[in-house]
Amino acid sequence: MYGFEAMTFNIHGGYLEAIVRGHRSGLLTAADYNNLCQCETLDDIKMHLSATEYGPYLQNEPSPLHTTTIVEKCTLKLVDEYKHMLCQATEPLSTFLEYITYGHMIDNVVLIVTGTLHERDVQELLEKCHPLGMFDSIATLAVAQNMRELYRLVLVDTPLAPYFSECITSEDLDDMNIEIMRNTLYKAYLEDFYQFCQKLGGATAEIMSDLLAFEADRRAVNITINSIGTELTRDDRKKLYSSFGLLYPYGHEELAVCEDIDQVRGVMEKYPPYQPIFGKLSYGESQMLDKAFYEEEVKRLCLSFEQQFHYGVFFAYMRLREQEIRNLMWISECVAQNQKSRVHDSVVFIF
Amino acid sequence: MMNMWRNLPEMDLMRSEKMTFCQLIIPVESAHRAVTYLGELGLLQFRDLNDDKSPFQRTFVNQVKRCAEMSRKLRFFKDQIQKAGLLSSGVPTLQPDVDLEALEVQLAEHEHELIEMNANSEKLQQTYNELLEFKMVLQKAGGFLVSGKSYETAEGRELDENVYPSDYPDSASLLEQATQSGPAITSGLRFISGIIPKSKVLLFERMLFRATRGNLLFNQEPADDLILDPISSEMVEKIVFVVFFSGEQARTKILKICEAFGANCYPVPEDLTKQSQITQEVLSRLSELETTLDVGIRHRNAALHSIGFHLALWMNMVKREKAVFDTLNMLNFDVTKKCLVGEGWCPVFAKPQIQEALQRATFDSNSQVGVIFHFMEAVESPPTYFRTNAFTNAYQEIVDAYGVAKYQEANPAVYTVITFPFLFAVMFGDWGHGICLLIGALVLIAREGKLSSQKLGSFMEMLFGGRYVLLLMSLFSIYCGLIYNEFFSVPYHIFGASAYRCRDTECSEAHTIGLIKYRDAYPFGVDPSWRGSRSELPFLNSLKMKMSILFGIAQMNLGIMLSYFNSIFFNNSLDIRYQFVPQMIFLNSLFGYLSLLIIVKWCTGSQADLYHVMIYMFLSPFDDLGENELFWGQRPLQILLLLAALVAVPWMLFPKPFILRKRHAERFQGRTYGILRSTEMDSDSEPGSARHHEEEFNFSEVFVHQMIHSIEFVLGSVSNTASYLRLWALSLAHSELSTVFYEKVLLLAWGYDNFIIRLVGLAVFAFATAFILLMMETLSAFLHALRLHWVEFQNKFYGGDGYKFKPFSFAAIADDED
């Protein structure tokens, strides 16, 4: 039905699209960031944020403020908005919205499992979890000893269950295979999400496949860089790449054999969309890569608002807000630790 | 003549207050007090001189922060008071102004105290909850253990008997376990007892089942009492459970799961005597704790009560302080850093009041230097400020909803006060319904004092705000209802007998042929005998249609007249000559003439067809009018009027832009090298100010604008006149609807000789009258009257591009809170 969404989209999606576009206009602007970067204390930040949409969430916080409180409250706002949208959504938008949270779910599972492995307190770990990725029995994850138990006890009830099919082993959990599990899960999740968006068709499929392909490619690059110098074999590495995206399949072949960052760079520069990202980096440098990728992602996410009648805006909005919260966290940390010279290092302006 | 117009006494509402731009130079030491007094006065609108600075770079940011912190504490108190279920006594005692610093200290103390008390009582509450849960677990789980024992043994025996004969090795081994555990509860089979919120129990059970691979027995029973959840402070239903299992590994797993699910586990001794002993212990401790808790809560409530006593006052104070500092933040330091410089707008009449307040501030703060207050020239246009009262406010709001008047522009609200309710009533003419509305309006007005102080819902607030509009609307609809002779659509012989009677005694021809007139016309309004007669509708339609046109033309003429007053006021003779005059001519030569014809026809009782006259006035102006001639000399007059209308169109289109261009050219003749200005002036005026813009003149833009304006007027005079016919349509709809409800519901039901049917009919009639006629029809008539004012009336003269005067005032701040 490509090209005909305009006729029926607003029956179910119109209200929520309006809502999400309204939320988008509440995102902090470059002027806001400039003001925030000039703040001297966290109270200044609070004061500035009280004039934005975060105001009601921060106004009742007692004065010695901590970075965690700011981030927590800002996240709470995002979660409230998400929940409101989810309540109002009908199929298939509600499923789409749920898909957005699966990534957080995977992160939370990994966080708890790693935490228990290092014998941390479960409650403490739970507080660190992203509220969007919470599910009922998440605390029970601490009981599991190996993948199989993990799956059988807890995850079978969650939407993540189907993604687990590839990583059920009886091996005991350790850091290495938890990381592999994370990436396998993520791969399965991205592929599933991609399939789902293709099934939705229309502008949603078009825009989401672009955004997800970018996400998949970024993960592929990150996996490659992180696995350089570890005992991960080339085949195992290749197994973790998602089976779509711009790099699939030939780029993956090349990435799988990369031995250092410059080789990765060589591979990526063959792909025109990624040339400018790597062009910004000097040789042998990988710290700024994250920021470059984030900037590119933000640009793409903002572009998705240019088109109407598709679900990509919801995905884009959630991602942009998360980026904004990351920015706020960075700024607050810099202010709190008197490192204001570094404030611009990791802030990605959205508008 | 001209002088007479000018010497008329000024109408308060007609022009907005004269405003002036003023500058204040306040010594730092008296600044706070001065601004406070100005806030109490509420007649000065400050301009933000630090627009470019972000909020935390301003001078008084620390004070603002402190105020925000204090209001946070106050919100905390309010929240606590509400949670404790105490009603804050709403009598703000006027205690002498507490110092802000003192208040800050006081608030901090209170907060500290309260937080400590909360922590204490929370701890106590937690212990209490634990004990309570323990008690429940003891009661319930004890029961399980007793029954469980007998059950287990019974089960074991049963298994013994039933399954033993079969030779499956698996079941045999299972059986062995079972038989072993049966008698050996104390050794192999263990149990964990605890309590869990009801919402989680299903998942919990499933998880336990999975973790132990089904090797467990899960018993549950709901607890008798609800337990307070310390986080959300709500009562939660909980369920007591006992899990039987075997093995050490399973135990750790189950304990972990319990922890993960937030289930509280309590050990229950198996020994019955021990159980009762512990129960006794728990009960005694519970009662102890209960008294402690009670005392704590009473203590806390007393503290909260004393806070609540002052809370409203404190909140108000902090809010005012914050507003004062926010305003101070708008001021600039002068070069010496000893004075604050503020700029703003104030009405001219307020000058002595402001000066008095400033003097008082200087005196009270023992300042050596007075506040300097003087008027200045301003580039931008001043804000619009009307001094309204309770009565006129609602009408001013109606006008402001369309657009705030330009500074000193003629204010349509003056006329709206009467024309709005009147046009409403023309559509809503029924004195029965009018009386209902009147009662409603009177109730609202009688309870004014009470209602204005309390919080109302949005709908009630709207009604209350428009109570005086409602009053006039109802009075006028009673008046119009008397003219239409309708009382819930029933005609009454109020002003004497009807002028008509039947031809014969049976009155059979009343609806076919008609009645005969036998005496003078009915003295006021519509004759009651028209109702239900054959010619009722044609007569009423003709009456109401013509009436609507007359009202419309009158109101539009008034609008154009107001544009004349505006031009006079702003000294714009160009607009009078090339806009007002041709507009008057155009409208009145066509539709004014139509009104004249209507009146002549009414007075003479002529049979002439006005449609015909109007249409052929354009199509063939020179033809003989024949039987449609209403008065002598009609044909030449028509030709004259037509010519006048034709001339008026180019008259309002062309001259104005050309004259403007000529004037512009004259003004700048020989000024090719720019204007010489004194250096002082140059430094005063900022670059790119409004003065600069006036000098540019774009002829094509002005011409196009004028063209649009003229076309709009010419087309508008036709469509606006037609638009006034909604008066007729709505009035017709109203009377037809009420007739339907009266005849088809009430009279129909009354036709049956059955009490219930009559009652039902009456009820339906009452509901239809109340909801459809009184509410929906009122709303629709209101909206149409609104449109007639906004569009048809105001577009003749009203610019509506001003901005409202928003003085810094504590009264407005107090209102904001709701």
Side-chain angles (χ1 to χ4, degrees):
Chain A
M1 278 292 279
Y2 182 65
F4 290 93
E5 297 102 356
M7 284 210 293
T8 54
F9 182 87
N10 278 350
I11 299 171
H12 292 294
Y15 170 67
L16 281 175
E17 192 181 354
I19 291 275
V20 83
R21 280 174 192 274
H23 285 325
R24 188 200 80 128
S25 56
L27 288 172
L28 300 180
T29 59
D32 286 320
Y33 282 120
N34 282 335
N35 279 331
L36 283 171
C37 290
Q38 290 168 19
C39 290
E40 295 291 337
T41 64
L42 289 182
D43 276 342
D44 286 345
I45 290 183
K46 174 186 164 187
M47 191 157 166
H48 188 86
L49 287 181
S50 67
T52 66
E53 286 192 356
Y54 292 115
Y57 286 85
L58 284 170
Q59 68 171 2
N60 281 337
E61 288 311 309
S63 205
L65 222 57
H66 299 289
T67 314
T68 41
T69 331
I70 293 180
V71 173
E72 195 181 303
K73 291 292 162 187
C74 295
T75 316
L76 183 66
K77 176 182 149 56
L78 174 65
V79 173
D80 282 353
E81 285 168 357
Y82 172 79
K83 281 186 181 153
H84 176 245
M85 290 196 288
L86 189 64
C87 282
Q88 302 285 336
T90 51
E91 283 297 332
L93 179 54
S94 52
T95 314
F96 183 88
L97 286 175
E98 277 163 7
Y99 263 106
I100 296 176
T101 64
Y102 293 169
H104 292 296
M105 247 181 231
I106 295 172
D107 287 343
N108 284 354
V109 168
V110 171
L111 180 79
I112 300 257
V113 173
T114 330
T116 359
L117 205 63
H118 296 284
E119 313 210 321
R120 305 278 285 278
D121 182 35
V122 181
Q123 286 306 319
E124 190 187 318
L125 289 171
L126 281 179
E127 276 164 23
K128 280 188 190 159
C129 285
H130 197 286
L132 277 182
M134 288 302 226
F135 47 92
D136 279 334
S137 46
I138 189 161
T140 334
L141 286 170
V143 182
Q145 296 296 328
N146 58 33
M147 298 276 189
R148 191 178 293 280
E149 249 186 347
L150 200 65
Y151 174 71
R152 201 175 50 81
L153 267 183
V154 191
L155 294 176
V156 70
D157 276 342
T158 66
L160 299 183
Y163 307 150
F164 241 87
S165 56
E166 275 188 44
C167 48
I168 297 177
T169 54
S170 301
E171 279 175 63
D172 272 358
L173 292 166
D174 61 40
D175 280 340
M176 176 80 171
N177 59 27
I178 288 176
E179 202 51 39
I180 291 176
M181 176 186 87
R182 181 214 293 272
N183 285 310
T184 326
L185 284 179
Y186 228 102
K187 167 194 160 142
Y189 156 60
L190 280 181
E191 281 167 7
D192 188 31
F193 197 5
Y194 184 77
Q195 289 303 325
F196 176 73
C197 293
Q198 292 304 318
K199 214 168 67 199
L200 288 178
T204 307
E206 190 190 19
I207 285 164
M208 282 309 292
S209 63
D210 184 41
L211 293 175
L212 288 175
F214 180 76
E215 178 79 20
D217 292 346
R218 184 173 67 175
R219 290 198 75 81
V221 172
N222 280 340
I223 289 168
T224 314
I225 293 176
N226 289 336
S227 66
I228 288 171
T230 60
E231 56 206 65
L232 201 71
T233 61
R234 286 177 183 177
D235 282 343
D236 282 345
R237 190 194 281 179
K238 215 182 129 196
K239 259 189 224 160
L240 298 177
Y241 299 150
S242 307
S243 62
F244 64 97
L246 215 56
L247 300 175
Y248 177 77
Y250 303 114
H252 288 169
E253 304 271 352
E254 293 182 58
L255 274 183
V257 299
C258 285
E259 295 293 343
D260 60 45
I261 174 85
D262 286 333
Q263 285 181 13
V264 176
R265 185 196 182 103
V267 176
M268 295 304 284
E269 281 189 338
K270 288 180 194 160
Y271 292 87
Y274 300 117
Q275 252 170 8
I277 295 177
F278 282 85
K280 280 184 219 157
L281 306 174
S282 51
Y283 276 90
E285 181 192 32
S286 65
Q287 281 94 343
M288 294 302 283
L289 187 63
D290 269 346
K291 193 188 175 190
F293 266 125
Y294 277 137
E295 271 171 0
E296 177 68 16
E297 188 190 9
V298 162
K299 206 161 69 189
R300 286 167 184 242
L301 293 171
C302 286
L303 279 180
S304 73
F305 279 93
E306 301 297 312
Q307 201 169 337
Q308 224 187 326
F309 306 129
H310 65 92
Y311 294 154
V313 285
F314 297 96
F315 179 79
Y317 171 70
M318 299 296 287
R319 281 296 166 97
L320 287 175
R321 262 286 184 225
E322 281 162 25
Q323 179 62 44
E324 184 175 292
I325 292 168
R326 271 198 296 273
N327 288 345
L328 283 176
M329 180 158 75
W330 178 261
I331 294 173
S332 314
E333 279 297 346
C334 287
V335 169
Q337 298 177 8
N338 264 329
Q339 297 271 328
K340 281 185 62 183
S341 52
R342 297 192 53 204
V343 104
H344 284 281
D345 284 1
S346 157
V347 174
V348 180
F349 292 122
I350 294 177
F351 297 114
Chain B
M1 181 70 184
M2 271 316 183
N3 281 334
M4 199 191 85
W5 280 119
R6 273 175 203 165
N7 294 338
L8 280 176
E10 253 182 76
M11 274 190 279
D12 257 356
L13 259 184
M14 184 68 174
R15 308 275 169 204
S16 63
E17 292 297 330
K18 274 208 178 70
M19 306 299 280
T20 173
F21 193 69
C22 54
Q23 193 182 37
L24 296 158
I25 302 174
I26 318 172
V28 175
E29 63 267 22
S30 59
H32 182 264
R33 207 176 288 263
V35 171
T36 312
Y37 288 167
L38 286 177
E40 273 160 15
L41 190 64
L43 282 170
L44 188 66
Q45 174 179 358
F46 284 95
R47 203 168 69 160
D48 195 353
L49 298 176
N50 300 324
D51 223 5
D52 48 338
K53 286 188 189 164
S54 58
F56 51 86
Q57 287 171 331
R58 300 189 177 201
T59 327
F60 295 95
V61 61
N62 283 323
Q63 282 88 334
V64 173
K65 264 193 221 164
R66 271 166 55 197
C67 288
E69 180 67 17
M70 276 195 273
S71 54
R72 184 193 63 77
K73 280 175 189 155
L74 288 170
R75 275 197 302 272
F76 171 68
F77 295 150
K78 199 176 176 188
D79 190 49
Q80 290 291 318
I81 288 173
Q82 269 170 0
K83 262 191 191 162
L86 295 174
L87 281 175
S88 59
S89 48
V91 263
T93 43
L94 273 172
Q95 82 187 64
D97 267 0
V98 198
D99 190 22
L100 201 66
E101 267 83 49
L103 181 64
E104 198 174 4
V105 175
Q106 213 177 339
L107 286 183
E109 267 171 28
H110 278 307
E111 195 197 18
H112 186 69
E113 191 188 2
L114 206 60
I115 286 178
E116 205 165 299
M117 268 195 271
N118 278 353
N120 279 342
S121 70
E122 207 170 285
K123 243 184 260 166
L124 280 177
Q125 186 73 42
Q126 207 179 342
T127 339
Y128 179 75
N129 272 355
E130 273 169 18
L131 279 173
L132 196 66
E133 285 178 1
F134 193 15
K135 187 189 91 181
M136 285 174 190
V137 172
L138 276 174
Q139 282 170 354
K140 301 287 172 190
F144 284 139
L145 286 180
V146 174
S147 66
K149 259 180 208 166
S150 53
Y151 175 76
E152 281 291 332
T153 43
E155 177 96 331
R157 220 172 289 132
E158 218 169 273
L159 280 171
D160 255 347
E161 287 162 9
N162 288 347
V163 196
Y164 232 172
S166 59
D167 283 330
Y168 294 114
D170 276 358
S171 62
S173 65
L174 258 179
L175 244 166
E176 261 161 357
Q177 277 179 12
T179 42
Q180 272 167 15
S181 64
I185 282 178
T186 42
S187 58
L189 197 69
R190 308 151 173 234
F191 67 91
I192 289 174
S193 52
I195 193 161
I196 188 170
K198 195 183 177 188
S199 53
K200 287 182 182 171
V201 74
L202 205 69
L203 258 174
F204 179 61
E205 190 181 348
R206 197 190 306 165
M207 194 59 67
L208 285 176
F209 187 83
R210 276 198 210 129
T212 57
R213 301 180 187 243
N215 291 329
L216 86 164
L217 189 68
F218 188 83
N219 275 317
Q220 55 174 4
E221 191 165 331
D224 298 329
D225 295 327
L226 300 177
I227 291 168
L228 190 84
D229 183 19
I231 297 164
S232 61
S233 71
E234 273 173 21
M235 301 304 273
V236 191
E237 220 177 313
K238 289 205 166 183
I239 285 192
V240 175
F241 64 84
V242 179
V243 197
F244 296 95
F245 60 91
S246 66
E248 185 58 34
Q249 220 180 353
R251 183 186 152 78
T252 49
K253 262 187 198 169
I254 290 174
L255 281 177
K256 261 189 181 171
I257 291 174
C258 287
E259 192 191 352
F261 272 88
N264 301 325
C265 299
Y266 299 96
V268 179
E270 288 166 42
D271 195 2
L272 273 176
T273 49
K274 232 182 183 177
Q275 242 182 53
S276 60
Q277 193 189 334
I278 292 181
T279 316
Q280 283 305 321
E281 231 171 81
V282 166
L283 282 179
S284 69
R285 277 187 64 194
L286 259 181
S287 63
E288 263 170 47
L289 258 179
E290 215 161 318
T291 46
T292 340
L293 259 180
D294 261 3
V295 172
I297 285 176
R298 222 173 300 143
H299 185 58
R300 184 165 164 264
N301 280 358
L304 280 178
H305 198 77
S306 72
I307 293 173
F309 191 63
H310 298 295
L311 193 65
L313 184 78
W314 286 345
M315 284 185 112
N316 196 15
M317 239 184 83
V318 170
K319 206 167 279 169
R320 285 166 65 152
E321 282 301 317
K322 184 157 184 289
V324 167
F325 285 117
D326 276 338
T327 310
L328 281 173
N329 271 336
M330 291 185 183
L331 309 186
N332 246 342
F333 269 110
D334 77 335
V335 234
T336 59
K337 290 270 176 188
K338 281 182 186 154
C339 292
L340 283 165
V341 181
E343 289 174 6
W345 292 101
C346 69
V348 172
F349 72 84
K351 190 186 172 191
Q353 283 164 286
I354 291 174
Q355 267 167 343
E356 192 268 334
L358 292 175
Q359 265 164 19
R360 207 148 40 89
T362 315
F363 182 74
D364 287 353
S365 51
N366 294 323
S367 172
Q368 310 272 323
V369 198
V371 180
I372 300 171
F373 173 71
H374 62 97
F375 293 161
M376 284 184 17
E377 288 264 318
V379 183
E380 71 234 60
S381 139
T384 309
Y385 174 45
F386 292 108
R387 274 194 282 179
T388 55
N389 52 26
F391 183 78
T392 49
N393 188 37
Y395 299 96
Q396 188 64 53
E397 290 289 312
I398 288 177
V399 171
D400 284 351
Y402 174 79
V404 177
K406 213 158 57 193
Y407 177 62
Q408 298 245 300
E409 187 180 22
N411 181 12
V414 180
Y415 304 93
T416 305
V417 173
I418 294 301
T419 54
F420 184 83
F422 179 69
L423 287 189
F424 168 86
V426 169
M427 294 179 265
F428 197 78
D430 187 318
W431 60 279
H433 296 150
I435 285 171
C436 295
L437 282 192
L438 182 65
I439 291 168
L442 287 179
V443 167
L444 284 178
I445 290 169
R447 299 175 61 196
E448 194 173 57
K450 204 173 144 199
L451 286 175
S452 59
S453 61
Q454 73 194 53
K455 228 181 220 176
L456 304 164
S458 64
F459 182 71
M460 262 312 275
E461 199 167 323
M462 211 164 65
L463 270 186
F464 180 68
R467 60 197 181 280
Y468 288 107
V469 184
L470 207 61
L471 176 74
L472 280 197
M473 289 191 325
S474 61
L475 288 177
F476 276 115
S477 51
I478 292 173
Y479 170 72
C480 285
L482 286 173
I483 289 181
Y484 295 159
N485 206 343
E486 293 208 33
F487 177 85
F488 295 110
S489 86
V490 187
Y492 274 85
H493 297 74
I494 307 172
F495 302 100
S498 165
Y500 298 90
R501 67 177 163 81
C502 301
R503 283 164 196 271
D504 48 29
T505 46
E506 283 162 38
C507 230
S508 55
E509 292 161 333
H511 298 283
T512 48
I513 301 169
L515 306 161
I516 9 171
K517 190 172 177 182
Y518 74 103
R519 51 190 281 182
D520 280 346
Y522 192 70
F524 185 85
V526 175
D527 194 310
S529 293
W530 282 107
R531 164 70 57 185
S533 69
R534 189 172 61 93
S535 48
E536 180 200 1
L537 267 188
F539 168 71
L540 280 180
N541 281 348
S542 150
L543 171 76
K544 286 177 179 173
M545 178 164 50
K546 285 170 184 157
M547 200 174 68
S548 327
I549 288 177
L550 289 185
F551 290 146
I553 302 298
Q555 200 182 21
M556 287 194 287
N557 269 317
L558 175 64
I560 302 175
M561 284 303 289
L562 282 175
S563 81
Y564 168 77
F565 289 134
N566 265 344
S567 316
I568 291 270
F569 187 85
F570 293 118
N571 248 333
N572 193 345
S573 61
L574 198 69
D575 273 355
I576 299 180
R577 260 177 272 150
Y578 303 109
Q579 210 150 304
F580 164 71
V581 174
Q583 281 183 355
M584 261 331 234
I585 291 175
F586 185 81
L587 183 69
N588 286 313
S589 63
L590 300 181
F591 297 100
Y593 175 62
L594 174 63
S595 310
L596 179 78
L597 289 183
I598 289 172
I599 292 168
V600 169
K601 186 176 166 181
W602 275 350
C603 294
T604 58
S606 150
Q607 300 274 317
D609 183 1
L610 294 189
Y611 297 118
H612 193 271
V613 176
M614 283 310 287
I615 289 169
Y616 282 90
M617 176 174 162
F618 293 100
L619 292 185
S620 46
F622 303 106
D623 283 6
D624 200 26
L625 284 162
E627 59 178 2
N628 287 325
E629 182 158 342
L630 281 153
F631 51 88
W632 180 83
Q634 192 179 356
R635 197 167 55 139
L637 179 68
Q638 280 188 6
I639 294 169
L640 191 71
L641 288 176
L642 195 61
L643 282 177
L646 285 181
V647 171
V649 176
W651 186 353
M652 66 179 109
L653 175 58
F654 294 113
K656 194 179 158 189
F658 284 101
I659 291 173
L660 279 178
R661 185 170 69 168
K662 199 174 140 215
R663 277 192 191 170
H664 179 80
E666 275 168 10
R667 196 182 305 159
F668 292 98
Q669 221 165 24
R671 279 194 191 170
T672 36
Y673 296 105
I675 319 150
L676 281 175
R677 272 198 229 155
S678 66
T679 43
E680 203 181 331
M681 240 182 96
D682 267 343
S683 62
D684 257 7
S685 67
E686 300 145 35
S689 67
R691 272 167 232 208
H692 213 70
H693 288 296
E694 274 175 34
E695 289 162 15
E696 287 161 25
F697 183 83
N698 189 342
F699 178 72
S700 64
E701 199 175 297
V702 172
F703 188 79
V704 166
H705 184 79
Q706 185 67 20
M707 194 159 77
I708 291 171
H709 201 76
S710 313
I711 292 174
E712 194 191 325
F713 182 83
V714 170
L715 294 183
S717 59
V718 180
S719 66
N720 289 354
T721 311
S723 183
Y724 275 97
L725 290 177
R726 72 185 67 231
L727 293 175
W728 158 46
L730 269 275
S731 153
L732 178 72
H734 183 83
S735 79
E736 287 301 308
L737 260 181
S738 54
T739 312
V740 165
F741 288 132
Y742 176 69
E743 282 180 2
K744 302 290 175 207
V745 177
L746 194 63
L747 288 189
L748 195 74
W750 232 247
Y752 294 94
D753 198 16
N754 185 331
F755 177 70
I756 294 170
I757 293 181
R758 283 185 177 187
L759 201 69
V760 168
L762 194 67
V764 171
F765 174 72
F767 272 104
T769 304
F771 288 105
I772 299 183
L773 293 175
L774 283 177
M775 285 173 67
M776 280 171 57
E777 278 280 293
T778 309
L779 203 64
S780 85
F782 184 93
L783 289 179
H784 283 282
L786 201 63
R787 184 220 142 95
L788 286 180
H789 279 83
W790 281 354
V791 180
E792 274 74 27
F793 176 49
Q794 292 183 6
N795 78 357
K796 301 287 182 293
F797 66 98
Y798 190 56
D801 50 357
Y803 63 103
K804 247 188 179 163
F805 175 56
K806 285 195 191 106
F808 168 60
S809 137
F810 289 147
I813 294 165
D815 283 350
D816 258 6
E817 125 191 53
D818 314 326

